């Protein structure tokens, strides 16, 4: 922006500008020019301004994930999203209910299975995928691939999420329904919460996901 052709403080007849207002306007224009020049310099230096805006813009955001499925493959999405959002400084709650509760169950989480039936990514017809032992085989294949790829295990993602400040909640109603005990869950898991708590956090969240 240029101020070379600044308007006269006196202006034209019938549209005179107050000298104080003109001085304030000129000061504001100079501030905007300095700001624009600074941003242009930052862009030329690798666009650090954009990075700063991303970092500060994400502060204070909230996300709620409702996890309802307890299969091997469905344990990963909520934990990966939660731990990643927490790394950005988000306030994250993952509310586990019904079968999703098994993800937080210390013993059951070691035996989650990948369902071969109805899985469009499995190169098997459902008639064969439904045979006994196919889920176990599919799970072993996926575990092997995860190990070879160096991907974190479910337990490691739970630890990472908790260390990152993610609030992993276990639905109290489902705990009682499944005859689980609060001691069955990983240390750090929040118990004694229900749908009302989850809904309150969802209402305050910028992002809500049902997995």
């Amino acid at each position: 922006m240029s101020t070379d052709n600044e308007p006269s403080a006196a202006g034209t007849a019938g549209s005179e500008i107050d000298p104080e207002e003109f001085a304030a306007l000129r000061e504001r224009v100079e501030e905007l020019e300095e700001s624009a020049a600074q941003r242009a310099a930052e862009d030329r230096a690798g666009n650090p301004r954009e990075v700063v805006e991303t970092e500060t813009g994400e502060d204070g955001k909230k996300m709620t994930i409702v996890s309802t499925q307890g299969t091997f493959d469905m344990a990963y999405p909520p934990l990966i999203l939660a731990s990643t959002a927490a790394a950005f400084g988000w306030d994250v709650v993952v509310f586990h209910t019904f079968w999703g509760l098994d993800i937080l169950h210390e013993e059951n989480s070691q035996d989650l299975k990948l369902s071969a039936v109805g899985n469009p990514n499995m190169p098997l017809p459902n008639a064969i995928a439904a045979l006994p032992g196919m889920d176990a085989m599919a799970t072993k294949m996926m575990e092997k691939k995860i190990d070879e790829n160096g991907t974190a295990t479910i337990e490691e993602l739970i630890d990472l999420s908790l260390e990152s400040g993610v609030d992993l909640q276990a639905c109290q109603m489902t705990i009682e329904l499944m005859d689980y005990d609060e001691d069955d869950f990983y240390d750090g898991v929040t118990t004694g919460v229900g749908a009302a708590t989850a809904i309150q956090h969802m209402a305050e969240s910028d992002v809500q996901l049902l997995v």
Side-chain angles (χ1 to χ4, degrees), residues 62-93:
K62 291 186 176 183
M63 179 166 72
T64 302
I65 302 173
V66 179
S67 176
T68 64
Q69 301 186 53
T71 58
F72 182 81
D73 51 327
M74 294 308 293
Y76 275 85
L79 294 173
I80 291 173
L81 290 170
S83 57
T84 302
F88 282 125
W90 289 29
D91 176 12
V92 185
V93 165

Side-chain angles (χ1 to χ4, degrees), residues 80-109:
I80 291 173
L81 290 170
S83 57
T84 302
F88 282 125
W90 289 29
D91 176 12
V92 185
V93 165
V94 187
F95 182 73
H96 294 76
T97 185
F98 279 83
W99 309 123
L101 206 60
D102 281 345
I103 298 171
L104 303 181
H105 193 286
E106 197 163 4
E107 181 179 346
N108 292 355
S109 67

